[in-house]
Structure formats: structure tokens, C-alpha cells
Amino acid sequence: MKQTIRDFIETDLLSGQKLEDDQELLLSGMVDSLGVMKLVSFIDKDLGIRVPHSDIKLRNFATIDAIANYLETKQAA
């Protein structure tokens, strides 16, 4: 799942820029609020995991690691 998330972010949000799993996405300004909404839409449509608005928080989307951990908890629920 991490690779799928990384591929989407690198390709669709960052025009090919490479990322590390622990690299800060939001606070660094690499991904903005529109990018987060695109990512949430991708997660819903392509991964089949619904992300409630109340879960769109910095701690859940700060890094690729954080996103993958958050999605793993959603799948387990």
C-alpha cells in the first residue's frame, strides 16, 4: 500500500519528485490542501477506503508512513 500511495503522490501531486516514507508532506508545503483532497479522493476511489472528513488531520497525512498507518487502521476496523 505504501508504494501505491508514494506513486500517486510523486506522480500526481509532485510532478515526479521522489519522496522518502518519513518526509514531511504538509508542513513542508510540498502538498497543499487541494493535494490532500486529491489524495483522499484517490484513496476512496482506487483503494476503496473511505476517509471521513473528521479524519483529515495533520497527524494522519503528514508523511507516507503516517498515511499508510492510518489506512491500515481503517482497513482493520
Side-chain angles (χ1 to χ4, degrees):
M1 181 179 314
K2 249 189 221 187
Q3 186 61 49
T4 303
I5 295 164
R6 182 184 307 104
D7 290 345
F8 175 79
I9 294 171
E10 289 177 348
T11 303
D12 292 77
L13 302 181
L14 300 179
S15 302
Q17 182 177 345
K18 298 298 178 192
L19 293 172
E20 298 296 323
D21 290 347
D22 62 350
Q23 193 168 352
E24 181 58 54
L25 300 172
L26 304 175
L27 293 178
S28 69
M30 292 174 69
V31 176
D32 60 12
S33 58
L34 181 59
V36 172
M37 292 297 100
K38 288 179 181 179
L39 178 57
V40 168
S41 178
F42 167 77
I43 290 167
D44 183 39
K45 291 178 183 171
D46 290 47
L47 301 180
I49 302 171
R50 187 177 177 290
V51 178
H53 290 294
S54 61
D55 285 356
I56 302 173
K57 298 178 181 177
L58 181 61
R59 71 174 179 255
N60 293 334
F61 289 88
T63 64
I64 291 172
D65 282 334
I67 297 165
N69 290 337
Y70 165 73
L71 295 178
E72 286 173 12
T73 64
K74 293 297 288 180
Q75 282 185 320

PDB file of all heavy atoms in Angstrom, residues 54-68:
ATOM      1  N   SER A  54     -13.695  14.083   9.283  1.00  0.00           N
ATOM      2  CA  SER A  54     -13.147  14.244  10.636  1.00  0.00           C
ATOM      3  C   SER A  54     -11.766  13.603  10.783  1.00  0.00           C
ATOM      4  O   SER A  54     -11.037  13.919  11.719  1.00  0.00           O
ATOM      5  CB  SER A  54     -14.102  13.655  11.670  1.00  0.00           C
ATOM      6  OG  SER A  54     -14.295  12.266  11.434  1.00  0.00           O
ATOM      7  N   ASP A  55     -11.376  12.719   9.860  1.00  0.00           N
ATOM      8  CA  ASP A  55     -10.070  12.062   9.915  1.00  0.00           C
ATOM      9  C   ASP A  55      -9.006  12.769   9.074  1.00  0.00           C
ATOM     10  O   ASP A  55      -7.848  12.363   9.066  1.00  0.00           O
ATOM     11  CB  ASP A  55     -10.181  10.612   9.442  1.00  0.00           C
ATOM     12  CG  ASP A  55     -10.822   9.706  10.472  1.00  0.00           C
ATOM     13  OD1 ASP A  55     -11.118  10.172  11.593  1.00  0.00           O
ATOM     14  OD2 ASP A  55     -11.029   8.520  10.156  1.00  0.00           O
ATOM     15  N   ILE A  56      -9.395  13.810   8.364  1.00  0.00           N
ATOM     16  CA  ILE A  56      -8.431  14.548   7.550  1.00  0.00           C
ATOM     17  C   ILE A  56      -7.715  15.533   8.479  1.00  0.00           C
ATOM     18  O   ILE A  56      -8.106  16.680   8.637  1.00  0.00           O
ATOM     19  CB  ILE A  56      -9.116  15.262   6.363  1.00  0.00           C
ATOM     20  CG1 ILE A  56      -9.849  14.240   5.505  1.00  0.00           C
ATOM     21  CG2 ILE A  56      -8.076  16.017   5.533  1.00  0.00           C
ATOM     22  CD1 ILE A  56     -10.691  14.839   4.404  1.00  0.00           C
ATOM     23  N   LYS A  57      -6.668  15.001   9.103  1.00  0.00           N
ATOM     24  CA  LYS A  57      -5.892  15.745  10.085  1.00  0.00           C
ATOM     25  C   LYS A  57      -4.417  15.621   9.770  1.00  0.00           C
ATOM     26  O   LYS A  57      -3.986  14.646   9.144  1.00  0.00           O
ATOM     27  CB  LYS A  57      -6.151  15.191  11.491  1.00  0.00           C
ATOM     28  CG  LYS A  57      -7.588  15.316  11.915  1.00  0.00           C
ATOM     29  CD  LYS A  57      -7.811  14.733  13.273  1.00  0.00           C
ATOM     30  CE  LYS A  57      -9.290  14.871  13.619  1.00  0.00           C
ATOM     31  NZ  LYS A  57      -9.622  14.278  14.874  1.00  0.00           N
ATOM     32  N   LEU A  58      -3.642  16.577  10.256  1.00  0.00           N
ATOM     33  CA  LEU A  58      -2.212  16.589  10.007  1.00  0.00           C
ATOM     34  C   LEU A  58      -1.554  15.276  10.400  1.00  0.00           C
ATOM     35  O   LEU A  58      -0.767  14.716   9.648  1.00  0.00           O
ATOM     36  CB  LEU A  58      -1.564  17.759  10.754  1.00  0.00           C
ATOM     37  CG  LEU A  58      -0.064  17.915  10.582  1.00  0.00           C
ATOM     38  CD1 LEU A  58       0.295  18.151   9.122  1.00  0.00           C
ATOM     39  CD2 LEU A  58       0.449  19.042  11.441  1.00  0.00           C
ATOM     40  N   ARG A  59      -1.903  14.733  11.551  1.00  0.00           N
ATOM     41  CA  ARG A  59      -1.235  13.517  12.026  1.00  0.00           C
ATOM     42  C   ARG A  59      -1.490  12.319  11.109  1.00  0.00           C
ATOM     43  O   ARG A  59      -0.691  11.406  11.046  1.00  0.00           O
ATOM     44  CB  ARG A  59      -1.629  13.198  13.460  1.00  0.00           C
ATOM     45  CG  ARG A  59      -3.051  12.708  13.619  1.00  0.00           C
ATOM     46  CD  ARG A  59      -3.324  12.271  15.060  1.00  0.00           C
ATOM     47  NE  ARG A  59      -4.681  11.833  15.197  1.00  0.00           N
ATOM     48  CZ  ARG A  59      -5.634  12.529  15.784  1.00  0.00           C
ATOM     49  NH1 ARG A  59      -5.359  13.693  16.309  1.00  0.00           N
ATOM     50  NH2 ARG A  59      -6.850  12.054  15.867  1.00  0.00           N
ATOM     51  N   ASN A  60      -2.620  12.301  10.403  1.00  0.00           N
ATOM     52  CA  ASN A  60      -2.939  11.186   9.508  1.00  0.00           C
ATOM     53  C   ASN A  60      -2.331  11.326   8.118  1.00  0.00           C
ATOM     54  O   ASN A  60      -2.211  10.333   7.398  1.00  0.00           O
ATOM     55  CB  ASN A  60      -4.455  11.035   9.367  1.00  0.00           C
ATOM     56  CG  ASN A  60      -5.113  10.604  10.650  1.00  0.00           C
ATOM     57  OD1 ASN A  60      -4.505   9.972  11.505  1.00  0.00           O
ATOM     58  ND2 ASN A  60      -6.379  10.953  10.800  1.00  0.00           N
ATOM     59  N   PHE A  61      -1.958  12.541   7.726  1.00  0.00           N
ATOM     60  CA  PHE A  61      -1.489  12.780   6.361  1.00  0.00           C
ATOM     61  C   PHE A  61      -0.144  13.495   6.301  1.00  0.00           C
ATOM     62  O   PHE A  61       0.230  14.021   5.259  1.00  0.00           O
ATOM     63  CB  PHE A  61      -2.549  13.572   5.576  1.00  0.00           C
ATOM     64  CG  PHE A  61      -3.759  12.749   5.271  1.00  0.00           C
ATOM     65  CD1 PHE A  61      -4.813  12.678   6.171  1.00  0.00           C
ATOM     66  CD2 PHE A  61      -3.839  12.007   4.114  1.00  0.00           C
ATOM     67  CE1 PHE A  61      -5.930  11.890   5.911  1.00  0.00           C
ATOM     68  CE2 PHE A  61      -4.950  11.219   3.833  1.00  0.00           C
ATOM     69  CZ  PHE A  61      -5.988  11.164   4.738  1.00  0.00           C
ATOM     70  N   ALA A  62       0.606  13.503   7.385  1.00  0.00           N
ATOM     71  CA  ALA A  62       1.868  14.235   7.450  1.00  0.00           C
ATOM     72  C   ALA A  62       2.961  13.622   6.583  1.00  0.00           C
ATOM     73  O   ALA A  62       3.743  14.346   5.959  1.00  0.00           O
ATOM     74  CB  ALA A  62       2.341  14.338   8.896  1.00  0.00           C
ATOM     75  N   THR A  63       3.024  12.305   6.534  1.00  0.00           N
ATOM     76  CA  THR A  63       4.071  11.596   5.786  1.00  0.00           C
ATOM     77  C   THR A  63       3.447  10.371   5.116  1.00  0.00           C
ATOM     78  O   THR A  63       2.318   9.989   5.443  1.00  0.00           O
ATOM     79  CB  THR A  63       5.196  11.112   6.721  1.00  0.00           C
ATOM     80  OG1 THR A  63       4.657  10.150   7.625  1.00  0.00           O
ATOM     81  CG2 THR A  63       5.843  12.265   7.486  1.00  0.00           C
ATOM     82  N   ILE A  64       4.183   9.739   4.244  1.00  0.00           N
ATOM     83  CA  ILE A  64       3.709   8.493   3.636  1.00  0.00           C
ATOM     84  C   ILE A  64       3.531   7.435   4.719  1.00  0.00           C
ATOM     85  O   ILE A  64       2.548   6.689   4.708  1.00  0.00           O
ATOM     86  CB  ILE A  64       4.667   8.021   2.525  1.00  0.00           C
ATOM     87  CG1 ILE A  64       4.592   8.997   1.336  1.00  0.00           C
ATOM     88  CG2 ILE A  64       4.338   6.600   2.073  1.00  0.00           C
ATOM     89  CD1 ILE A  64       5.616   8.753   0.257  1.00  0.00           C
ATOM     90  N   ASP A  65       4.457   7.368   5.661  1.00  0.00           N
ATOM     91  CA  ASP A  65       4.326   6.429   6.784  1.00  0.00           C
ATOM     92  C   ASP A  65       3.028   6.667   7.547  1.00  0.00           C
ATOM     93  O   ASP A  65       2.298   5.727   7.864  1.00  0.00           O
ATOM     94  CB  ASP A  65       5.505   6.564   7.762  1.00  0.00           C
ATOM     95  CG  ASP A  65       6.763   5.881   7.270  1.00  0.00           C
ATOM     96  OD1 ASP A  65       6.666   4.924   6.471  1.00  0.00           O
ATOM     97  OD2 ASP A  65       7.853   6.297   7.704  1.00  0.00           O
ATOM     98  N   ALA A  66       2.728   7.942   7.851  1.00  0.00           N
ATOM     99  CA  ALA A  66       1.515   8.273   8.604  1.00  0.00           C
ATOM    100  C   ALA A  66       0.266   7.884   7.820  1.00  0.00           C
ATOM    101  O   ALA A  66      -0.689   7.344   8.394  1.00  0.00           O
ATOM    102  CB  ALA A  66       1.493   9.765   8.932  1.00  0.00           C
ATOM    103  N   ILE A  67       0.253   8.136   6.531  1.00  0.00           N
ATOM    104  CA  ILE A  67      -0.898   7.790   5.689  1.00  0.00           C
ATOM    105  C   ILE A  67      -1.102   6.277   5.679  1.00  0.00           C
ATOM    106  O   ILE A  67      -2.222   5.789   5.873  1.00  0.00           O
ATOM    107  CB  ILE A  67      -0.717   8.330   4.256  1.00  0.00           C
ATOM    108  CG1 ILE A  67      -0.653   9.854   4.256  1.00  0.00           C
ATOM    109  CG2 ILE A  67      -1.841   7.830   3.349  1.00  0.00           C
ATOM    110  CD1 ILE A  67      -0.129  10.455   2.957  1.00  0.00           C
ATOM    111  N   ALA A  68      -0.027   5.532   5.470  1.00  0.00           N
ATOM    112  CA  ALA A  68      -0.119   4.067   5.428  1.00  0.00           C
ATOM    113  C   ALA A  68      -0.594   3.516   6.772  1.00  0.00           C
ATOM    114  O   ALA A  68      -1.458   2.624   6.807  1.00  0.00           O
ATOM    115  CB  ALA A  68       1.224   3.463   5.050  1.00  0.00           C
TER     116      ALA A  68
END
